[in-house]
């Protein structure tokens, strides 16, 4: 049977921790990229007269602009 030392388990924890951290960073990076792209598109749409509203479910737009 296999015998593992404490040192082997510590190395395994380091490798798993790095992998989890790397994956979490990639997910956050992708979310930031999409948010930035959506904000750029919203700015362009505002320049064309759309009303852009950010809410919890995403972005909603209206044309012609809503009157207050």
């Amino acid at each position: 049977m296999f015998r593992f030392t404490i040192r082997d388990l510590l190395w395994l924890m380091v490798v798993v921790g790095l992998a989890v951290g790397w994956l979490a960073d990639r997910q956050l990076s992708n979310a930031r990229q999409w948010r930035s792209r959506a904000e750029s598109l919203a700015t362009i749409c505002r320049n064309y007269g759309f009303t852009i509203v950010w809410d919890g479910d995403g972005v909603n737009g209206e044309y012609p602009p809503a009157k207050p």
Side-chain angles (χ1 to χ4, degrees), residues 23-50:
L23 288 173
D25 182 58
R26 282 185 53 93
Q27 291 295 325
L28 289 174
S29 175
N30 286 339
R32 277 183 249 136
Q33 281 182 340
W34 282 109
R35 176 69 182 203
S36 174
R37 291 174 183 167
E39 288 173 352
S40 298
L41 181 59
T43 301
I44 292 169
C45 290
R46 280 189 195 102
N47 291 339
Y48 281 100
F50 284 87

Side-chain angles (χ1 to χ4, degrees), residues 2-3 9 15 19 23 31 34 38 42 44 55:
F2 295 109
R3 290 189 178 180
L9 294 178
V15 170
L23 288 173
W34 282 109
I44 292 169
D55 59 14

